[in-house]
Amino acid sequence: MDDRLSEILSPYKGKRDALIPILQKVQAELGYLPDEAMLEIARVTGLPESRVFAVASFYAQFRFTPRGKHSFMVCRGTACHVRGAEKILEETERALGIVEGETTEDQEYTLETVACIGCCALAPCVMIDEDVEAKLTPKMVSEIIDRRKAK
């Protein structure tokens, strides 16, 4: 990690006004913002550590824990909510063994909820990576996860 981090940060030595692009580049390279990287960003830019953490924690785009290889997003939009999104989320949590916002121990899946994925006519639905699974029932969620785990 040190070499990758040094390469990203070297052009930004002392550049306090480039914090957000730095955070974005580090996260793009490492997948998240580990504490060690945050401390190194503060050192290189000359910003207080508290400022670096404050800015990163303010924006929803930044993550402080590793994400899984696959993103599992349960839609909570109005149409999905009315058609059972809560049951879909509960079954997804049970099947993956994690709760919303967590990543499975094997680093395969990160479970999130989103306000809307734009497939209201297909509610309730989830998005796994770039694939939409539609008109779901709780039983279908388990089948989808089992099928994906078998690959």
Side-chain angles (χ1 to χ4, degrees), residues 126-142:
V126 299
M127 191 166 192
I128 306 170
D129 298 328
E130 302 297 320
D131 302 324
V132 174
E133 298 284 350
K135 297 185 179 183
L136 295 175
T137 64
K139 183 180 179 187
M140 292 169 69
V141 170
S142 297

Side-chain angles (χ1 to χ4, degrees), residues 8 14 18-19 36-37 49 51 56 62 66 80 106 122 127 134-136 150:
I8 295 166
L19 181 55
E36 305 82 38
E49 294 167 9
R51 179 74 176 151
F62 297 119
C80 287
D106 62 4
L122 304 174
M127 191 166 192
K135 297 185 179 183
L136 295 175

Side-chain angles (χ1 to χ4, degrees), residues 21-97:
I22 293 170
L23 292 167
Q24 290 170 327
K25 287 182 181 187
V26 170
Q27 182 169 279
E29 178 65 26
L30 303 179
Y32 71 111
L33 298 171
D35 288 344
E36 305 82 38
M38 299 289 283
L39 295 173
E40 185 63 12
I41 291 168
R43 189 189 69 71
V44 168
T45 60
L47 289 166
E49 294 167 9
S50 60
R51 179 74 176 151
V52 175
F53 279 92
V55 169
S57 63
F58 177 80
Y59 294 100
Q61 69 177 299
F62 297 119
R63 296 179 299 280
F64 299 102
T65 56
R67 295 179 53 81
K69 293 177 195 169
H70 304 285
S71 176
F72 200 112
M73 294 182 286
V74 178
C75 183
R76 284 192 154 172
T78 303
C80 287
H81 173 75
V82 169
R83 294 185 180 144
E86 193 61 36
K87 295 287 185 201
I88 300 301
L89 178 60
E90 288 171 8
E91 180 57 25
T92 304
E93 290 175 336
R94 189 203 62 72
L96 292 175

Side-chain angles (χ1 to χ4, degrees), residues 6 19 31-32 66 90 112 116 138 148:
S6 294
L19 181 55
Y32 71 111
E90 288 171 8
E112 301 172 299
C116 183
R148 286 179 164 268

